[in-house]
Amino acid sequence: MSMGKSLCVAALALAFAGAASAADHPGLGKPVSETDLAVWDISIGPDGKGLPPGSGTPAQGATIFAQKCEACHGKEGIGGSNAALANAPGKNERTMALYVPNATTLFDFIRRAMPWPQPKSLANDEVYALTAYILARNKVIGDNDTMNAETLPKVQMPNRNGFVSRYPDKH
Amino acid sequence: MTSKQVTRAPDAPDVARNGLLDRRALLGRGIAIAGAVGTGASLTSAAAEPLPVDPWSLGPGSNLPPYGQPMKYEDKVVRTLTNPKFEPRTSQARTPHHLLNGTITPAGLHFVVARTGFPDIDPAKHRLAIHGLVKQPLVYDLDALSRYPMTSQIHFVECGGNSAPLYNKDPVQANVQAIHGLLSGSEWTGVRLSTLLEETGIDPKGKWLLAEGADGPSMNRSIPIAKALDDAMIALYQNGERIRPEQGYPMRLLVPGYEGNMNVKWLHRIKLIEEPVMAINETMQYTYRVAGPKIWQFFFPMEVKSFVTHPSPGLTLKGPGYYEISGLAYSGNGRIAKVMVSADGGQSWGQAALDAPVLSKALTRFRMPWRWDGQPVVLQSRAWDEAGNVQPTREQMFAERGEPKINVPVTAFPMGHMNVITSWAVDGKGELKHVYG
């Protein structure tokens, strides 16, 4: 390799390094720790990663549901103005508990978005209890099962394998 | 002062049945076509009355407002709302495509789907955090992002459930706003997401990112890292001004061509993750049951589609003669390559003219000169994109997805990503209605 060519390669390497260096970027983002982001980081993976401490049972959830959810979702999750969360006798609809592939989705959505007028107002125990209540109303879990960070990701959802990616080449 | 010479033109040749004319008639031959109006009407009859000097020509006008508004006579050009009393449920607002032209939707008429209305975000307090599988988690405020290199891109945003009424068993009697109104086009200006991810660095295990809003329900979606690094943007401006509150003020994620719900509004957090979080909006919603036991998930790009906006239901034709058929075509997979128009329910087709520039993942306006003879016709359009995708017929789509079996209101979503051909029937009186061609 001639000296000229090796210099050229070195210059090229430097150029690439420079393109990714902080000097070429505004660098105006402020470093933040995951600890400082903890109250924002409410997303829960299907494996249960991110689930907080706490627990709840269907019986506890029934009481909370009557107080905070019934107005929109109907008595025991039936006949409300918004999404039915359980099937009326003789009905066989795909309610959320019978449709989504992971039980963690119920916990995540209830915690971040419900009740509609006061999202994020529920304590973690209340979210576990409501999740347990809805799962039990759909006979996905037993009436005496307790939901917590250990048990929730292990719930066998009836539609666990019902989904296929429409465009697998895109991810 | 010059006056244009108006001459009687030779008839433009028909390119398809029921009066579709050669699209080249639109290029520099507008006068000639105008001369042919009414097929035989004499030019002198058009200027029968002397023209008065109107009052607005005889005095000063009105003072200039600091922020201009549409003319008062245009007060019917508004979105339709599904939840005007703001009850505790999702609200939708649809764009009136039959009352607009061109390809840019005015920001105030951009469609909206919002779970709990729009939040009142103080731009000085808003923060965007990028964390998770990155080398250095970073937080940006609006002032900081405003100093970054920006790009302006024209793109459509379309709800994954737009055009869902076409999956009804019988043709819903509704106009283009009700059927196709969850679609809008804008110029978006902002910072490429890849620019910010270069600053945080990416852990190779980070194959997806979670995008989350600062709205009450913290709307969230999982997005493949490939899209984030390709053309995703943190949009700060819409049509030149700061993003409207319903569109995500002060910032939204823009993933061009991907279904609307993924363009997360009021964006405040991006977390790099290994696997999708299976959020409610990618499991319970924006997934579609098709023929057989499977449910499609991660639909992402909005497939090639077109529809006629002019004329369309509500825009009654005023007698036989010359009209322009025009509409919108777009694809989440690139540029529109071709739009064909039919006036006989799809038996014969003529190629429409496309307004330049034809941009990738953007609304494209197509136009077709037409001389209506007053007889009943069925108008259709069909689009092709540069990736080779063709807008499907109803039969083609239902062969894969199953036949529609029920009728639901236009606000329900029995199917998503409905890009089949739309048909408008014109009756002998010039009135239009939705039919299955």
Side-chain angles (χ1 to χ4, degrees), chain B residues 59-94:
Chain B
S62 299
N63 200 4
L64 308 182
Y67 196 107
Q69 298 296 317
M71 189 54 161
K72 60 188 175 186
Y73 307 117
E74 300 298 317
D75 61 352
K76 300 286 193 294
V77 185
V78 291
R79 300 183 293 207
T80 46
L81 307 178
T82 58
N83 188 8
K85 291 180 186 161
F86 199 39
E87 290 159 358
R89 56 186 167 89
T90 296
S91 301
Q92 301 156 14
R94 286 172 165 78

Side-chain angles (χ1 to χ4, degrees), chain B residues 290-301:
Chain B
V290 290
K294 63 185 175 179
I295 298 168
W296 278 338
Q297 185 184 31
F298 303 132
F299 236 113
F300 301 159

Side-chain angles (χ1 to χ4, degrees), chain A residues 25 82 99 105 112 120 167, chain B residues 88 198 216 218 278 287 299 303:
Chain A
H25 276 274
N82 270 327
Y99 188 86
T105 304
R112 72 175 55 237
K120 305 178 195 71
Y167 297 116
Chain B
E198 281 172 30
S218 302
M278 299 293 181
T287 61
F299 236 113
E303 298 84 350

Side-chain angles (χ1 to χ4, degrees), chain B residues 184-195:
Chain B
S184 304
S186 305
E187 183 200 64
W188 302 98
T189 299
V191 181
R192 284 188 186 84
L193 180 51
S194 59
T195 303

Side-chain angles (χ1 to χ4, degrees), chain B residues 163-240:
Chain B
S163 320
L166 296 179
Y167 200 66
N168 269 2
K169 184 167 158 286
D170 302 304
V172 64
Q173 287 316 301
N175 68 3
V176 72
Q177 180 171 21
I179 297 173
H180 297 301
L182 297 175
L183 161 80
S184 304
S186 305
E187 183 200 64
W188 302 98
T189 299
V191 181
R192 284 188 186 84
L193 180 51
S194 59
T195 303
L196 303 181
L197 292 175
E198 281 172 30
E199 292 195 343
T200 62
I202 300 173
D203 182 322
K205 291 203 294 286
K207 298 297 183 198
W208 292 73
L209 55 84
L210 171 83
E212 183 183 86
D215 50 323
S218 302
M219 218 295 293
N220 60 335
R221 279 295 295 253
S222 306
I223 291 157
I225 194 77
K227 182 64 175 176
L229 296 175
D230 177 17
D231 57 358
M233 175 200 291
I234 311 298
L236 307 177
Y237 296 85
Q238 176 185 8
N239 298 343

Side-chain angles (χ1 to χ4, degrees), chain A residues 37-127:
Chain A
L37 280 167
V39 292
W40 277 23
D41 191 4
I42 56 174
S43 48
I44 295 156
D47 56 359
K49 198 179 285 180
L51 279 171
S55 69
T57 64
Q60 291 164 338
T63 308
I64 303 161
F65 193 90
Q67 292 167 352
K68 300 187 175 180
C69 315
E70 204 177 277
C72 292
H73 292 286
K75 195 168 167 52
E76 297 181 351
I78 297 168
S81 57
N82 270 327
L85 296 174
N87 271 309
K91 274 212 158 192
N92 193 22
E93 307 272 323
R94 290 257 192 158
T95 62
M96 185 170 177
L98 299 176
Y99 188 86
V100 299
N102 306 96
T104 46
T105 304
L106 277 85
F107 184 98
D108 178 275
F109 179 65
I110 295 168
R111 183 165 69 155
R112 72 175 55 237
M114 290 290 126
W116 195 92
Q118 290 149 315
K120 305 178 195 71
S121 63
L122 297 168
N124 289 330
D125 284 343
E126 291 181 296
V127 181

Side-chain angles (χ1 to χ4, degrees), chain B residues 338-378:
Chain B
K338 181 175 75 170
V339 176
M340 302 295 283
V341 172
S342 172
D344 58 4
Q347 296 174 58
S348 68
W349 297 87
Q351 189 168 351
L354 305 181
D355 279 0
V358 176
L359 300 170
S360 179
K361 304 167 190 173
L363 298 185
T364 296
R365 176 66 58 175
F366 67 86
R367 302 183 188 277
M368 184 87 198
W370 178 43
R371 194 182 299 110
W372 182 46
D373 65 3
Q375 296 302 306
V377 300
V378 174

